Amino acid sequence: MGVKTKEEYIESIRALNPTAYMFGKRLTNVLDNPRIRAGIEATAATYEAAQLDEFKDLLITTSPLINEPVSRFTLPPSSIEDLVARVKINRKLGNYVGTCHQRCTGLDCLSALAIVTYDIDQKYGTNYNKNFIEFLKYVQKNDLAANAGVTDVKGDRSLAPHEQQDKDLYLHVVERREDGIVVRGAKAHQTGSLSSHEIIVIPTRALTKNDKDYAVSFAIPSDTKGLIHVVGRSTLDMRELDGCDIGNTLYSKYCPTLIFDNVFVPWERVFMCGETEFAGDLVGKFSAFHRQSHGGCKSGKIDCMIGAALVLMDYNGTSKVSHHKQKIIDMIHRAETLYGCCLASSYEGKKQPSGTYYIDTVLANASKLHEGKEMAEAIRLMIDICGGYVADLPSDRDFENPEIGDLLKKYMKGVDGIPVEKRIKMYRLVEKLALESADTISDIHGGGSPEAHRVTIFRETDVESKKKAAKRLAGID
Ligand SMILES: Cc1cc2nc3c(=O)[nH]c(=O)nc-3n(C[C@H](O)[C@H](O)[C@H](O)COP(=O)(O)OP(=O)(O)OC[C@H]3O[C@@H](n4cnc5c(N)ncnc54)[C@H](O)[C@@H]3O)c2cc1C
């Protein structure tokens, strides 16, 4: 086995047989559906990159667990160097695919579980860490992609899981058997669930003793019986099905709702079952890792936006316009501050009792808060530079139409000497970068809503030391 090539990854996804629906119809061939395929290609890019000279030194490393080369997307960090590499691979890959490569959530779950399963075992003498380590070995040896099943559908947000009228609105254990557990519920916005071999489930929030059945974590193959993927709509999804006006011609993102309809999980795949006091810690650690992953990846996406804006400045004759240059600088500084905050979070990381390294939570959450606002600003600046055709460019089919195609090409021309087709293609990419809802909404809600980042920042900050410093300066004992 070992590190997979892109082709081996694609074939391994073809070998799965998930239950999936899209636009009201059952999908019989997930891989060859153009909408899903564009998402799978984005994950496939992480496998392709691992073979490319430009990426491979960063993406491939040796796992101390199996003592073999592995993809960093399967490696919980065991040093500051590993924590730093997490950010770097996400930036490079974010830039490479211009959307979400969908593989970071799995790594973020693996990293959080590597810490928390150990802590649970220390307290209760359970076997969760052993189960997890066996699962991790399997993931590393087979270079698997994993999806994070975190966000429950949650029903009435003012109620705890056990208070909901329908008890299934948070995923929970409905049966405990000798050989395993049966779970029921649904997880929302499951980025790349059909691009993944495994679904890793963890609780979505801190829990109390009354929510014992909801304190559950496990991993199952993405085609497990009873698991139903319902692919969500995204603003530009019909373009892929239509095969026209696609924008990013290589990659895309999709986020199914995942229904767990009485799914059986064998005990050896269970990583938490009833230890409510660890639920908050598990989701908190996942969220911090994931918020940091976002910053790496989205700074890479801003790099794409900067590139697209600069090319259109060349095509439109505005490359020397000073306010455009200023706006490019404003985009660069947003990408770099986001990246810098994520890197700092890694450099300030600390070793945990399990031996896994954990990032600085305050810096990770600060980076995500920054992303939520500044990605929107970077998109605004890109649209400002590129002009109104980001909104309403005629279709490729109009350009091909014998009656109006030549007229459109005449009137869509920019700078002399630039083929009009290039200008049109670049506008399409800008449209996708700005308006692909499956990706841009994640700038705000991915890894938790902004208020969750703010609450974490305040909770994790040592405010007392700040008060003490101020009092000292003011001469107060
Ligand atoms: C594109 C995209 C991709 C995603 N990918 C994944 C994924 O791969 N895996 C995964 O598990 N999740 C994923 N998520 C889910 C993401 O983590 C959630 O969207 C986020 O946690 C918010 O949850 P929600 O959507 O249910 O909104 P809500 O929780 O309903 O939040 C909406 C608003 O209500 C507020 N709110 C809600 N409840 C309360 C309360 N009790 N008190 C005060 N304020 C409250 C929030 O702060 C927010 O302002 C993704 C989301 C998006 C948009």
Side-chain angles (χ1 to χ4, degrees):
M1 275 300 143
V3 178
K4 277 185 168 54
T5 63
K6 174 182 169 179
E7 291 69 30
E8 286 166 344
Y9 162 71
I10 296 282
E11 287 318 304
S12 66
I13 294 295
R14 192 186 293 285
L16 296 169
N17 185 23
T19 305
Y21 289 81
M22 191 169 77
F23 305 162
K25 294 207 177 81
R26 173 93 188 251
L27 293 177
T28 45
N29 180 349
V30 164
L31 186 69
D32 295 326
N33 179 289
R35 167 83 186 115
I36 310 299
R37 182 60 181 255
I40 290 173
E41 286 292 331
T43 303
T46 69
Y47 290 89
E48 179 188 43
Q51 314 286 329
L52 302 176
D53 287 343
E54 190 195 336
F55 291 85
K56 72 177 171 214
D57 287 346
L58 194 56
L59 261 168
I60 305 296
T61 187
T62 301
S63 161
L65 186 63
I66 59 170
N67 213 16
E68 287 171 27
V70 294
S71 162
R72 282 199 176 274
F73 285 110
T74 67
L75 186 90
S78 56
S79 63
I80 295 288
E81 187 200 341
D82 288 348
L83 288 178
V84 171
R86 284 169 45 82
V87 183
K88 294 194 172 186
I89 56 175
N90 278 320
R91 182 167 191 175
K92 277 186 89 80
L93 281 161
N95 187 224
Y96 192 60
V97 299
T99 179
C100 168
H101 60 69
Q102 303 155 40
R103 216 172 159 199
C104 68
T105 57
L107 171 61
D108 299 333
C109 278
L110 295 174
S111 304
L113 282 164
I115 298 170
V116 179
T117 53
Y118 180 89
D119 295 343
I120 305 177
D121 286 358
Q122 290 301 300
K123 180 162 181 191
Y124 289 108
T126 39
N127 277 333
Y128 298 131
N129 191 251
K130 182 174 155 284
N131 292 351
F132 171 72
I133 294 294
E134 287 308 312
F135 172 66
L136 182 61
K137 281 186 197 162
Y138 168 70
V139 167
Q140 291 188 342
K141 285 194 168 156
N142 295 283
D143 197 7
L144 300 180
N147 156 263
V150 183
T151 308
D152 286 290
V153 287
K154 298 193 292 246
D156 182 341
R157 269 67 176 154
S158 70
L159 301 176
H162 73 278
E163 292 171 335
Q164 303 282 336
Q165 197 171 16
D166 183 339
K167 304 294 179 227
D168 299 340
L169 290 173
Y170 284 77
L171 185 137
H172 63 129
V173 180
V174 290
E175 195 185 336
R176 285 175 169 77
R177 294 191 202 160
E178 210 165 290
D179 52 348
I181 54 176
V182 178
V183 297
R184 191 157 66 224
K187 297 278 184 180
H189 323 291
Q190 294 303 290
T191 303
S193 62
L194 292 163
S195 315
S196 303
H197 307 95
E198 293 282 333
I199 309 290
I200 304 177
V201 167
I202 66 171
T204 199
R205 55 177 285 175
L207 299 168
T208 64
K209 284 203 170 86
N210 297 323
D211 290 319
K212 214 170 164 47
D213 289 339
Y214 298 88
V216 63
S217 173
F218 55 85
I220 46 173
S222 56
D223 61 351
T224 298
K225 188 166 170 269
L227 203 53
I228 306 166
H229 307 246
V230 185
V231 180
R233 297 298 315 248
S234 178
T235 42
L236 302 174
D237 53 14
M238 286 306 284
R239 309 280 181 100
E240 279 133 6
L241 293 173
D242 209 17
C244 185
D245 308 327
I246 289 169
N248 182 336
T249 56
L250 300 170
Y251 311 113
S252 205
K253 175 177 182 176
Y254 66 95
C255 305
T257 293
L258 205 50
I259 300 170
F260 295 69
D261 191 20
N262 295 321
V263 172
F264 174 72
V265 186
W267 279 117
E268 60 270 21
R269 284 297 197 93
V270 175
F271 311 135
M272 166 192 273
C273 191
E275 296 77 11
T276 46
E277 74 274 33
F278 287 96
D281 196 29
L282 184 51
V283 66
K285 291 215 161 44
F286 161 78
S287 301
F289 276 126
H290 191 46
R291 288 164 194 169
Q292 186 211 32
S293 293
H294 255 259
C297 158
K298 300 289 179 163
S299 52
K301 186 172 169 186
I302 301 179
D303 293 337
C304 294
M305 290 160 45
I306 293 166
L310 283 166
V311 173
L312 272 179
M313 282 162 64
D314 290 342
Y315 291 178
N316 290 346
T318 63
S319 57
K320 295 199 169 59
V321 169
S322 65
H323 76 91
H324 278 191
K325 275 195 204 153
Q326 289 304 324
K327 282 164 185 159
I328 293 289
I329 293 167
D330 284 349
M331 292 173 78
I332 294 171
H333 104 63
R334 282 175 170 84
E336 299 307 331
T337 41
L338 185 53
Y339 184 56
C341 197
C342 294
L343 282 177
S345 170
S346 287
Y347 283 112
E348 293 289 312
K350 302 247 166 359
K351 191 176 183 177
Q352 302 299 298
S354 67
T356 306
Y357 271 62
Y358 182 46
I359 48 176
D360 181 280
T361 321
V362 175
L363 284 163
N365 279 272
S367 76
K368 187 63 180 53
L369 209 52
H370 186 71
E371 175 197 325
K373 288 187 181 162
E374 301 306 338
M375 283 299 289
E377 181 62 4
I379 289 171
R380 188 186 74 76
L381 291 164
M382 174 181 71
I383 292 173
D384 180 342
I385 291 168
C386 297
Y389 266 130
V390 181
D392 50 18
L393 192 70
S395 165
D396 291 349
R397 297 210 173 111
D398 290 318
F399 288 101
E400 287 156 12
N401 182 296
E403 285 145 42
I404 56 166
D406 286 343
L407 278 172
L408 280 176
K409 283 179 194 158
K410 168 181 160 72
Y411 289 113
M412 283 292 305
K413 211 164 153 309
V415 165
D416 208 26
I418 302 289
V420 66
E421 291 79 5
K422 290 190 177 177
R423 185 166 180 252
I424 293 159
K425 281 184 177 173
M426 196 48 72
Y427 267 112
R428 279 275 172 250
L429 175 64
V430 170
E431 180 192 27
K432 174 99 171 173
L433 288 166
L435 298 175
E436 181 190 21
S437 63
D439 200 38
T440 52
I441 306 295
S442 80
D443 301 345
I444 298 168
H445 283 296
S449 305
E451 202 50 31
H453 317 149
R454 300 168 71 84
V455 168
T456 312
I457 286 173
F458 196 71
R459 191 186 58 224
E460 301 285 330
T461 296
D462 179 3
V463 288
E464 287 309 319
S465 70
K466 298 185 194 304
K467 281 163 69 179
K468 197 172 156 196
K471 280 183 181 168
R472 182 181 151 265
L473 293 176
I476 301 170
D477 283 340

